[in-house]
Amino acid sequence: YVGTQSAGVARLEELNDIMASGTIEQMQDLRWEWINNGLGTDNGRIIPEIKERNGNLYCLLTGNAPEYTNNHDVGIYLFDHATSSWSLKKGVVNRHAAISSGFDL
């Protein structure tokens, strides 16, 4: 899985199948696929972090500074492997004490 600075999240198609029983040569034929369904609007899908925890995949969608036109989409999302879509789990990310209030989050 890869997060981008504007386009959302991508993954390598069929990577698990090749890792389980394939060869290195087959890896060169892999293609990236976008998995952005449910991940806010097309405007500024900035994904600085993707984590897998307890079998679940989460990503953080941040603001597209300096425009901040995607504030309604900012938050932590959970990926549903069955439907290949994301759902917003936490829409408010509290400001860490070390971050100055001068930054518009």
Side-chain angles (χ1 to χ4, degrees), residues 13-23 26 30:
E13 294 177 339
E14 302 174 19
L15 178 63
N16 289 339
D17 296 335
I18 290 175
M19 295 298 281
S21 61
T23 65
Q26 288 175 301
L30 291 174

Side-chain angles (χ1 to χ4, degrees), residues 27-66:
M27 291 187 78
Q28 64 190 350
D29 295 328
L30 291 174
R31 304 228 184 280
W32 289 100
E33 71 173 318
W34 293 105
I35 52 169
N36 291 326
N37 187 29
L39 195 58
T41 61
D42 290 343
N43 188 12
R45 287 183 178 142
I46 300 171
I47 311 294
E49 190 168 2
I50 300 171
K51 294 228 182 214
E52 193 167 7
R53 294 277 195 266
N54 300 321
N56 293 319
L57 185 65
Y58 298 90
C59 78
L60 172 64
L61 190 150
T62 64
N64 59 339

